[in-house]
Amino acid sequence: MCLMAKKTKTALKELVKALEKHVEVLDDPKSTRGKRDRATARVRSAAIAYSSVLHSRTGSESPFLDIPDPGLDAQTVASLKAEKDALVAKRSSKHSS
């Protein structure tokens, strides 16, 4: 269990580090589109790693599932949420069987 706690803390530190770098890059008026995209990709990757560690340790779902992309329209967000809810329900029924 101690090893898993270290993995959780490491994943959290990496996520925080990626978020801090993301803000730094986005606040820099000289940063290029590519640099901003790479910083965004690092945040997403760190968030996925963090969610994966939490799930493997606790079985909990990702804390980021309900965060909509602000670039998506309301209909797409609703569709994605319905799809997510269906997957969660399916997973729950498998675990209760």
Side-chain angles (χ1 to χ4, degrees):
M1 184 86 85
C2 183
L3 177 62
M4 195 55 79
K6 286 183 181 179
K7 285 184 181 182
T8 303
K9 289 184 184 215
T10 300
L12 174 61
K13 285 178 186 178
E14 290 298 317
L15 177 56
V16 169
K17 189 167 120 179
L19 286 167
E20 288 171 344
K21 180 67 176 178
H22 188 257
V23 169
E24 180 184 312
V25 168
L26 292 180
D27 281 347
D28 181 1
K30 295 178 185 174
S31 63
T32 64
R33 171 75 181 207
K35 194 171 186 178
R36 291 189 306 264
D37 289 348
R38 285 188 298 278
T40 298
R42 279 192 291 275
V43 169
R44 287 183 176 153
S45 177
I48 290 167
Y50 178 75
S51 294
S52 295
V53 168
L54 286 181
H55 179 71
S56 67
R57 181 171 182 247
T58 66
S60 66
E61 65 180 51
S62 172
F64 306 109
L65 286 177
D66 295 325
I67 301 173
D69 184 329
L72 297 176
D73 60 73
Q75 184 179 7
T76 302
V77 170
S79 173
L80 290 170
K81 184 172 180 354
E83 186 177 336
K84 180 216 122 190
D85 292 345
L87 290 170
V88 168
K90 184 177 179 182
R91 186 181 301 152
S92 295
S93 69
K94 279 185 180 179
H95 289 295
S96 64
S97 297

